Amino acid sequence: MRKEMNRKLVNGFLKASGKNIVNQNGDTVLLNGWGLGNWLLCEGYMWLHNENEYFDRPRRIEKAIEELTDAEFSEYFWKEFRNRYITKEDIKLMADSGYNSIRIPFNSRILLEEKPGLHWIEEGFALLDSLIDWCEEYGLYVFLDMHGAPGGQTGSNIDDSVDNLPRLFMDKENWDKAIAIWEKLADRYKDRWIVGGYDLLNEPLRPGFTGIFDSGDLALGSNNLTLDFGYLVPKLVRFYEECIAGIRKYDTKHMLSIEGHYWSAATSIFHKHYDDNMVIHFHRYGCLPEIKSFKEYLDVSERLNQPLWLGETGENKLEWFSAMYPLSLDLGIGFNVWPWKKMECFNSPLSVKKPEAWEKIVKFKKSEIKPSCEEAKAILNEYLNNILAENCVKNDDVTKACLRQPGCIVRGTDFDLFPGKGFSYSGNFSGITDSDYRKDTGMCIKKGRKPNDPKIFFDCDWDSLTLDLSQDEFAVYSIYDVSEGDTVRIEFMVMEDSVVEISDDNAVLGTLNMKASPDAKMSESLILPQSEKVTVKIKLQKGRIQLDKVIFLKA
């Protein structure tokens, strides 16, 4: 593991020091962890809601569950849901997996009643208190994330908005309440160093959607999805200014996390320093895992001399994880993946088992099949049992991919970019390539075989590319936390009779002599040396191959 990610560095208040985040001793800390999505702000897709707009955000999910059951059961359900979805066991698992931080998305309605005046909900603060205590016990920095501001800051399901309008910026009462919440949190946690920072607004001001919406969407107000809220960016800037001033009345110690608009991807608000102790927070989904996907943010960091945080990312194939996140860390940028747990998944560390007859819950109002009250209660009670960490399916290969450990697969195209040409890759190819992916490296990247796995929402098709290596060309792939007996093998096409040498920093691990073939090949497994970091070099002594995958296997 990289030394900047060691949990021993979870020590004292975090602060910005130039382009680095440092702890109280001045040690650089690279944040790595997960967002606790769905716990304090539910999203329908994590319940496999099948695009049911009646089940896409907290207020609608709450209404559906009460209609399916009754008010008494609904109150019981949500109390148990909050107590079970994230427990001390989840935090222990995260720490044991090697992460050093978490991001807690919360809905303002968890902390403040949705009615005129300030009516605080102590039970909501108690949930945060318990989580923060567990994180202090296990050594994980906590970032508090206002995912659903009063009135909504995004104008979509992800902020629990009423009508897909960002009313935080339209109604003064919502504006004042949001600032009051941050002042309350700042006063409450001003002395808790395990709180790494305050993420003031998640993904404010979405762009306009295009497309056709059905009558059900229109009935719920989704016609507003076609509106573009970029015109409210000056108000976003003003909100940050007033919110920061309110926080600093109570708390001068904690780091502030500032996000741009348009899904936290735009950078125009970063024309100035908002606070000396802040991190520039951005999100990346479905992009190519290459430096170009970071360049705009690196330029802002350089100009303002402030650190970056890839504060939300994920929902992709594991090979994308094993390319994107090591590159982020190489660039000095910590990351936080989304989300820690969801139903029937392969790309979160914990997968919630789907209850029997679950479609009767999530298809409510979208079909004629409505369960009886007692049947609905039984299904929901099964769900409450399934969400406990100990009852989830553990996807250990997710962490292997995120942290580039044995048990992960790295695409041939995703060789190390640092320290650079002549060291990490040969970089002497000057011919024509089939792709612009990593074109500036001087490596030949071509269209290869289409992967057999199904498309996902954030698919960018980079995994249909292959690395074409000819005589004297090479590429290097780093792997971390290698234990005794861990191995490596490669998957490739032999285009010409070839000799391939596979080595590490100190010795040749194996040499492959192969005849040209129209079929894909898999090498034998080669033993890796035990080390915190091993760099595997694949070099063509003769011939030509197309390298699809480098497969690191756990003993």
Side-chain angles (χ1 to χ4, degrees):
M1 179 177 293
R2 302 166 197 251
K3 61 179 176 30
E4 298 90 350
M5 293 160 52
N6 194 310
R7 280 209 328 283
K8 291 181 180 178
L9 299 180
V10 179
N11 182 15
F13 288 98
L14 291 176
K15 67 178 181 179
S17 177
K19 290 177 284 186
N20 294 322
I21 295 174
V22 301
N23 65 12
Q24 68 176 4
N25 296 327
D27 302 310
T28 297
V29 175
L30 280 176
L31 299 169
N32 66 102
W34 287 83
L36 304 184
N38 204 46
W39 179 41
L40 302 182
L41 194 156
C42 299
E43 292 191 45
Y45 87 94
M46 297 187 203
W47 302 56
L48 299 184
H49 76 328
N50 299 316
E51 305 301 322
N52 180 359
E53 72 275 6
Y54 289 95
F55 210 88
D56 71 338
R57 67 195 69 188
R59 64 180 69 250
R60 295 176 185 170
I61 297 172
E62 291 162 14
K63 181 180 179 181
I65 288 176
E66 184 168 345
E67 288 184 22
L68 282 164
T69 58
D70 53 50
E72 182 180 2
F73 180 86
S74 180
E75 182 179 356
Y76 154 81
F77 174 85
W78 288 111
K79 182 176 181 180
E80 289 301 304
F81 177 85
R82 305 297 181 209
N83 289 333
R84 291 167 177 246
Y85 200 84
I86 297 296
T87 68
K88 189 174 182 178
E89 179 63 20
D90 289 276
I91 305 310
K92 181 179 185 299
L93 280 171
M94 201 179 299
D96 289 346
S97 298
Y99 299 105
N100 65 13
S101 55
I102 66 170
R103 179 170 173 250
I104 309 175
F106 64 86
N107 193 338
S108 62
R109 293 196 295 116
I110 294 290
L111 306 177
L112 184 63
E113 292 186 32
E114 198 172 42
K115 61 185 181 181
L118 297 178
H119 302 276
W120 303 107
I121 303 171
E122 184 54 36
E123 293 87 346
F125 289 98
L127 289 169
L128 293 180
D129 290 344
S130 295
L131 191 283
I132 290 168
D133 289 343
W134 300 333
C135 288
E136 187 165 7
E137 179 178 349
Y138 289 108
L140 294 161
Y141 278 119
V142 178
F143 282 78
L144 302 177
D145 155 36
M146 187 179 279
H147 221 73
Q153 76 283 357
T154 307
S156 184
N157 63 301
I158 63 170
D159 67 356
D160 195 32
S161 60
V162 174
D163 52 6
N164 293 321
L165 293 173
R167 293 194 174 278
L168 170 69
F169 304 103
M170 299 173 175
D171 302 328
K172 186 176 187 304
E173 184 178 4
N174 290 324
W175 179 288
D176 292 342
K177 282 184 173 182
I179 292 175
I181 290 172
W182 276 120
E183 290 179 350
K184 183 85 167 178
L185 291 168
D187 189 35
R188 190 179 188 100
Y189 299 124
K190 59 181 179 291
D191 296 320
R192 297 297 300 271
W193 64 266
I194 198 64
V195 175
Y198 306 142
D199 185 7
L200 302 187
L201 288 176
N202 174 71
E203 296 185 350
L205 303 178
R206 61 158 174 81
F209 289 105
T210 59
I212 299 172
F213 303 97
D214 65 27
S215 59
D217 291 315
L218 295 175
L220 290 166
S222 294
N223 52 315
N224 290 327
L225 290 173
T226 59
L227 299 177
D228 188 314
F229 298 118
Y231 72 93
L232 290 170
V233 168
K235 280 197 170 183
L236 172 62
V237 170
R238 193 156 71 249
F239 176 82
Y240 281 150
E241 292 169 345
E242 293 187 20
C243 189
I244 291 169
I247 288 171
R248 291 308 187 210
K249 288 189 299 185
Y250 300 92
D251 182 349
T252 60
K253 300 175 183 176
H254 279 101
M255 173 176 282
L256 304 178
S257 167
I258 309 296
E259 302 186 32
H261 63 296
Y262 289 173
W263 310 127
S264 192
T267 60
S268 62
I269 71 158
F270 297 110
H271 58 272
K272 64 171 186 174
H273 292 267
Y274 287 87
D275 191 87
D276 289 337
N277 191 18
M278 64 165 273
V279 63
I280 298 163
H281 177 152
F282 65 102
H283 296 176
R284 296 304 271 150
Y285 286 97
C287 62
L288 292 170
E290 61 177 337
I291 287 180
K292 283 192 289 187
S293 296
F294 293 88
K295 187 179 186 308
E296 185 175 357
Y297 313 103
L298 291 167
D299 289 346
V300 171
S301 173
E302 184 70 29
R303 175 164 45 82
L304 294 182
N305 193 34
Q306 290 189 295
L308 294 172
W309 184 32
L310 179 54
E312 191 182 303
T313 178
E315 298 293 15
N316 214 312
K317 300 174 181 178
L318 299 192
E319 291 170 26
W320 189 87
F321 288 10
S322 67
M324 187 71 174
Y325 305 142
L327 174 58
S328 182
L329 295 169
D330 283 343
L331 294 169
I333 303 170
F335 63 86
N336 193 274
V337 194
W338 182 266
W340 169 249
K341 175 189 296 185
K342 60 181 182 286
M343 191 179 286
E344 295 289 321
C345 69
F346 69 92
N347 54 8
S348 289
L350 296 183
S351 177
V352 177
K353 298 173 187 176
K354 184 170 70 171
E356 290 187 27
W358 184 243
E359 284 71 19
K360 292 184 179 182
I361 300 296
V362 294
K363 288 186 177 180
F364 176 57
K365 288 190 175 181
K366 290 286 278 190
S367 73
E368 296 179 358
I369 304 173
K370 181 179 179 181
S372 68
C373 177
E374 291 308 310
E375 185 182 9
K377 289 178 181 179
I379 297 168
L380 290 166
N381 275 321
E382 184 182 352
Y383 176 66
L384 289 176
N385 181 65
N386 291 357
I387 62 177
L388 288 167
E390 54 265 35
N391 295 333
C392 290
V393 175
K394 293 177 176 59
N395 296 324
D396 294 332
D397 52 348
V398 173
T399 287
K400 305 303 183 188
C402 289
L403 303 183
R404 187 72 77 81
Q405 297 169 331
C408 76
I409 298 173
V410 182
R411 299 290 308 176
T413 54
D414 297 320
F415 47 85
D416 293 1
L417 291 179
F418 301 100
K421 179 179 176 180
F423 299 93
S424 309
Y425 51 90
S426 47
N428 295 320
F429 179 78
S430 58
I432 298 174
T433 65
D434 295 337
S435 170
D436 288 335
Y437 185 60
R438 293 188 163 194
K439 193 171 184 178
D440 57 353
T441 61
M443 298 293 281
C444 182
I445 293 176
K446 293 193 170 185
K447 292 179 181 178
R449 294 174 294 136
K450 292 287 186 181
N452 293 323
D453 49 312
K455 290 277 188 180
I456 58 172
F457 184 79
F458 288 114
D459 216 323
C460 59
D461 275 336
W462 109 105
D463 55 345
S464 65
L465 301 173
T466 189
L467 179 64
D468 199 299
L469 292 174
S470 297
Q471 185 171 329
D472 296 329
E473 291 187 314
F474 69 87
V476 170
Y477 304 84
S478 292
I479 186 75
Y480 292 85
D481 305 324
V482 179
S483 301
E484 183 177 358
D486 293 344
T487 59
V488 63
R489 62 196 309 186
I490 62 173
E491 183 178 319
F492 54 96
M493 296 284 291
V494 185
M495 313 307 290
E496 301 171 6
D497 292 356
S498 299
V499 178
V500 182
E501 179 184 272
I502 302 176
S503 61
D504 68 3
D505 293 328
N506 302 308
V508 174
L509 302 176
T511 302
L512 312 177
N513 290 273
M514 301 161 296
K515 295 291 185 180
S517 171
D519 302 317
K521 301 290 185 183
M522 182 78 75
S523 74
E524 295 182 356
S525 296
L526 303 172
I527 299 291
L528 293 168
Q530 185 174 349
S531 179
E532 290 183 0
K533 179 183 179 181
V534 176
T535 53
V536 173
K537 184 176 183 179
I538 299 172
K539 183 175 182 180
L540 260 290
Q541 302 283 23
K542 171 190 171 183
R544 175 176 163 235
I545 69 168
Q546 290 187 344
L547 180 60
D548 289 336
K549 297 179 181 180
V550 181
I551 304 167
F552 295 101
L553 302 169
K554 189 69 184 167

